[in-house]
């Protein structure tokens, strides 16, 4: 198996294909190379059947079979390549993730965004430039980030905190907003996350310490001294309710912390 990601570009606009080819060449952190180009789904299907590829950079609006329809056909195949949609239209993002696309990039594509998408593909294939995916990393939460819909692996989530009418999802590097309720998320995520308060779930792997601390009031709660748990690696403290105190202590003991 080649260590270089073999990329097929599918777009009916020649200039768009040229720009993507250039951007792939500029993404130095992940070894990747463009092995072919296609102007429509028929050409793309013929290339994949004859040569294969690891990743398809796929436009949505094309003559004939569009990108979404083509992705559906690829998904039905046993050994289909990964798909990253590259389009000027943002309204198809949710449908793209239902088709298990790795990412959804809007034009004009920035090199940093394309490189991040290539890294995700490399992680799935366990290639250089992408760390081996941990068990369960295929589980994702769909979030909205400045109008862009993206998927965050559950393995990267440190905590989920309910705030007013939305839930904040925290990773080591970003905060995102979810529309799901905390109760729904708790049911979906199961034992990987620990309820520490009525407004917060923390990944068990991120729990580091339990201490008495001065806490700021939130909503109808008054501030004051109370129990709090430290979340690594962001070094943030979340309030622990009296009801959840024993469970947090048990989690720390079980983890040897």
């Amino acid at each position: 198996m080649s260590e270089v990601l073999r990329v097929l570009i599918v777009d009916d606009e020649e200039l768009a294909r040229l720009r993507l080819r250039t951007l792939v060449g500029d993404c130095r952190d992940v070894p990747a190379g463009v092995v072919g180009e296609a102007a429509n789904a028929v050409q793309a299907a013929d290339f994949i059947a004859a040569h294969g590829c690891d990743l398809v950079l796929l436009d949505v609006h094309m003559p004939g079979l569009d990108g979404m329809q083509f992705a559906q056909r690829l998904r039905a195949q046993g050994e289909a390549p990964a798909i990253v949609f590259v389009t000027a239209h943002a309204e198809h993002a949710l449908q793209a993730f239902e088709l298990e696309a790795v990412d959804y990039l809007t034009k004009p594509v920035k090199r940093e965004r394309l490189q991040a998408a290539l890294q995700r593909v490399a992680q799935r294939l366990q290639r250089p430039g992408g760390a081996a995916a941990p068990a369960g990393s295929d589980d994702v939460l769909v979030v909205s980030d400045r109008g862009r819909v993206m998927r965050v692996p559950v393995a990267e989530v440190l905590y989920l905190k309910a705030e007013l009418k939305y839930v904040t999802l925290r990773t080591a590097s970003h905060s995102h907003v979810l529309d799901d309720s905390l109760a729904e998320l708790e049911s979906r995520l199961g034992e990987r996350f620990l309820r520490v308060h009525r407004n917060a779930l923390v990944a068990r792997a991120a729990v580091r310490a339990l201490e008495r601390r001065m806490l700021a009031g939130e909503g109808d709660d008054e501030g004051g001294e109370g129990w709090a748990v430290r979340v690594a690696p962001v070094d943030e403290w979340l309030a622990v309710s009296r009801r959840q105190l024993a469970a947090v202590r048990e989690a720390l003991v079980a983890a040897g912390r």
Side-chain angles (χ1 to χ4, degrees):
M1 181 183 295
S2 171
E3 292 186 347
V4 177
L5 287 178
R6 299 168 298 154
V7 180
L8 172 64
I9 298 173
V10 184
D11 196 303
D12 62 324
E13 297 181 3
E14 185 176 358
L15 287 178
R17 297 197 302 271
L18 176 60
R19 174 168 173 76
L20 283 175
R21 176 183 284 273
T22 301
L23 286 173
V24 170
D26 288 341
C27 293
R28 305 296 184 185
D29 291 349
V30 182
V34 176
V35 295
E37 296 182 11
N40 53 58
V42 173
Q43 293 178 6
D46 289 344
F47 182 92
I48 293 172
H51 307 286
C53 65
D54 299 311
L55 167 64
V56 180
L57 297 179
L58 182 59
D59 190 19
V60 174
H61 293 287
M62 299 184 297
L65 203 67
D66 68 23
M68 291 295 169
Q69 294 168 325
F70 182 54
Q72 288 177 329
R73 293 194 179 185
L74 286 179
R75 186 185 177 190
Q77 299 176 9
E79 296 293 333
I83 295 175
V84 170
F85 284 99
V86 183
T87 177
H89 306 275
E91 66 269 21
H92 302 289
L94 287 176
Q95 183 183 356
F97 289 129
E98 289 173 357
L99 292 172
E100 299 181 356
V102 176
D103 210 335
Y104 189 96
L105 310 181
T106 52
K107 300 176 182 178
V109 177
K110 295 183 179 179
R111 182 182 62 83
E112 293 78 9
R113 282 288 295 118
L114 178 60
Q115 183 160 286
L118 294 179
Q119 286 174 333
R120 291 190 182 98
V121 176
Q123 287 172 358
R124 289 192 176 189
L125 299 176
Q126 299 185 20
R127 301 288 182 81
S137 63
D138 287 340
D139 296 337
V140 297
L141 295 176
V142 178
V143 303
S144 177
D145 186 358
R146 299 178 183 178
R148 176 169 57 89
V149 178
M150 60 184 294
R151 302 196 303 177
V152 177
V154 171
E156 295 180 6
V157 179
L158 302 179
Y159 67 77
L160 297 146
K161 187 176 182 182
E163 299 179 276
L164 299 177
K165 297 182 179 180
Y166 59 89
V167 171
T168 295
L169 179 156
R170 185 76 162 95
T171 69
S173 57
H174 293 92
S175 293
H176 304 284
V177 173
L178 288 171
D179 291 329
D180 309 71
S181 73
L182 203 62
E184 291 172 338
L185 291 166
E186 183 177 23
S187 175
R188 174 179 172 182
L189 297 172
E191 292 300 315
R192 290 171 292 181
F193 283 74
L194 177 68
R195 170 79 72 164
V196 299
H197 195 276
R198 68 172 183 271
N199 70 349
L201 300 170
V202 180
R204 290 180 180 272
V207 173
R208 285 297 181 273
L210 178 67
E211 294 181 10
R212 297 281 295 182
R213 295 178 66 88
M214 292 300 299
L215 302 170
E218 297 182 12
D220 296 330
D221 294 338
E222 294 182 1
E225 187 180 43
W227 288 100
V229 65
R230 181 165 66 88
V231 181
V234 292
D235 200 28
E236 296 180 14
W237 293 85
L238 297 180
V240 176
S241 66
R242 286 192 295 269
R243 178 179 297 180
Q244 304 299 333
L245 190 56
V248 175
R249 283 179 173 146
E250 290 175 5
L252 285 166
V253 170
R257 298 175 184 137

